Amino acid sequence: EAGVAQSPRYKIIEKRQSVAFWCNPISGHATLYWYQQILGQGPKLLIQFQNNGVVDDSQLPKDRFSAERLKGVDSTLKIQPAKLEDSAVYLCASSLDGGGVRAFFGQGTRLTVV
Amino acid sequence: AQTVTQSQPEMSVQEAETVTLSCTYDTSESDYYLFWYKQPPSRQMILVIRQEAYKQQNATENRFSVNFQKAAKSFSLKISDSQLGDAAMYFCAYNRYGGATNKLIFGTGTLLAVQP
């Protein structure tokens, strides 16, 4: 079974530039999550999709972050413009459904904003 | 709001020995799930063990077991016969049961070193 795929693995950009991350969840998984993990902290949910609808985006900085999940499969997370404090690992995860069902994580994208 | 606290930023254990990682949480919910995730340098979060709050029996997975104290809101992870491959960051996480939104709430992690 293929896992959650993310790209790129690493990205370095200058502040005020834009960047996009891509995630391909496990086939058949209805729920997709984007987490932000700042160095020294645990991951924090940015947005949760159920199929192609947004379930929770309460902690997404909507003035600069956006995400979409077209056709309920792949997802893209965008930051525009980036700030220094956006430097973090961005993890994508998917599950058959939400709740206590096991969530599978990708290897993440490490973003450095200079 | 639910919170998860890991008070041990770093722990160290000798190979083949046993180590216990601590976690406390706060919630007003009665039904929920608790997890321990392992994050090696590859950054991929790997599920180690899961506990349903309605189950009194502590979960076990091979060398990994938990001590779940619901009244005390405590959820510790015991790793027996530690191996070099167990070295990683370990995160305790909480997930409410049911509802439309089911995000994982993570603690700040414990970095486990295994000494040969």
Side-chain angles (χ1 to χ4, degrees), chain A residues 9 37 55 99-100 105 108, chain B residues 39 43-44 50 95 100 102 104:
Chain A
R9 290 289 318 272
Q37 185 178 14
V55 175
F105 284 80
Chain B
Q39 188 177 41
R43 302 197 301 264
Q44 187 169 20
R50 181 180 88 168
N95 191 330
N102 302 104
L104 285 163

Side-chain angles (χ1 to χ4, degrees), chain A residues 4 8-10 33 35 37 40-45 48 55-56 58-59 89 91 98-110, chain B residues 6 32-33 35 37 39 41-48 50 52 89 91 95-109:
Chain A
V4 176
R9 290 289 318 272
Y10 304 90
Y33 312 82
Y35 286 87
Q37 185 178 14
Q41 299 181 19
K44 179 188 77 174
L45 181 74
Q48 176 184 348
V55 175
D56 185 352
S58 57
Q59 298 191 82
V89 173
L91 294 164
V101 177
R102 178 176 177 175
F104 292 82
F105 284 80
Q107 290 189 296
T109 297
R110 180 180 296 279
Chain B
Q6 294 179 251
Y32 48 87
Y33 298 90
F35 307 82
Y37 278 89
Q39 188 177 41
S42 68
R43 302 197 301 264
Q44 187 169 20
M45 300 285 275
I46 302 165
L47 178 64
V48 174
R50 181 180 88 168
E52 291 90 340
M89 196 74 164
F91 289 94
N95 191 330
R96 59 178 288 191
Y97 178 83
T101 63
N102 302 104
K103 62 185 176 185
L104 285 163
I105 298 172
F106 289 88
T108 52

